[in-house]
């Protein structure tokens, strides 16, 4: 299983970015997916998750600003991030878990990407 994130970068507060996570080596439709982030000195935070039926959940910190989606034909997960804030600065990771429910608990996930950096300046 391989997950590769892309789309990170530097943006000013109020701007937008779209992250992508390309998956390979597994049956994509059988896995729920999630987005996480980790800032220096902080714990990894679950942001958004989408299950095999495209049901979604979000952390309060990003609800209404971030949108998770997936293209099963392309085996790609997305995170559209709008109205970015300096506190959104972090390394962003995608993760996959076999089957079932959407969850923001990192311990529930089986596979992880290497991450993509997002920096938001004020």
């Amino acid at each position: 299983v391989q997950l590769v994130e892309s789309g990170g970068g530097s943006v000013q507060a109020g701007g937008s970015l779209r992250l992508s996570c390309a998956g390979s080596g597994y049956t994509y439709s059988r896995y729920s997916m999630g987005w996480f982030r980790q800032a220096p000195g902080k714990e990894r935070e679950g942001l958004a998750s989408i299950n095999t039926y495209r049901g979604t959940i979000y952390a309060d910190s990003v609800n209404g600003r971030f949108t998770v989606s997936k293209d099963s034909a392309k085996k790609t997960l997305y995170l559209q991030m709008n109205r970015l804030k300096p506190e959104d600065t972090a390394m962003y990771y995608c993760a996959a878990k076999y089957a079932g429910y959407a969850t923001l608990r990192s311990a529930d996930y089986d596979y992880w990407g290497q991450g993509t950096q997002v920096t938001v300046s004020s």
Side-chain angles (χ1 to χ4, degrees):
V1 175
Q2 186 174 21
L3 301 172
V4 180
E5 301 96 336
S6 62
S10 297
V11 64
Q12 289 192 328
S16 298
L17 284 173
R18 188 175 82 155
L19 305 183
S20 300
C21 170
S24 62
Y26 63 106
T27 305
Y28 194 80
S29 61
R30 296 181 182 176
Y31 282 73
S32 296
M33 305 292 294
W35 284 102
F36 294 77
R37 69 185 178 191
Q38 189 166 19
K42 294 188 177 182
E43 293 187 355
R44 188 166 293 188
E45 176 188 14
L47 304 176
S49 178
I50 184 166
N51 66 20
T52 55
Y53 299 101
R54 299 181 183 274
T56 57
I57 58 172
Y58 294 93
D60 290 343
S61 58
V62 304
N63 196 22
R65 299 189 298 126
F66 291 10
T67 303
V68 61
S69 62
K70 65 180 179 179
D71 184 331
S72 295
K74 296 182 179 180
K75 294 187 176 181
T76 301
L77 178 74
Y78 301 100
L79 185 68
Q80 178 66 45
M81 307 187 295
N82 298 328
R83 292 184 282 135
L84 285 161
K85 305 174 182 179
E87 52 262 45
D88 293 319
T89 295
M91 186 70 78
Y92 283 67
Y93 300 89
C94 66
K97 62 177 291 292
Y98 183 72
Y101 50 91
T103 171
L104 300 180
R105 280 176 20 106
S106 59
D108 291 336
Y109 286 83
D110 304 306
Y111 304 104
W112 292 83
Q114 293 301 306
T116 185
Q117 177 69 37
V118 171
T119 302
V120 184
S121 58
S122 58

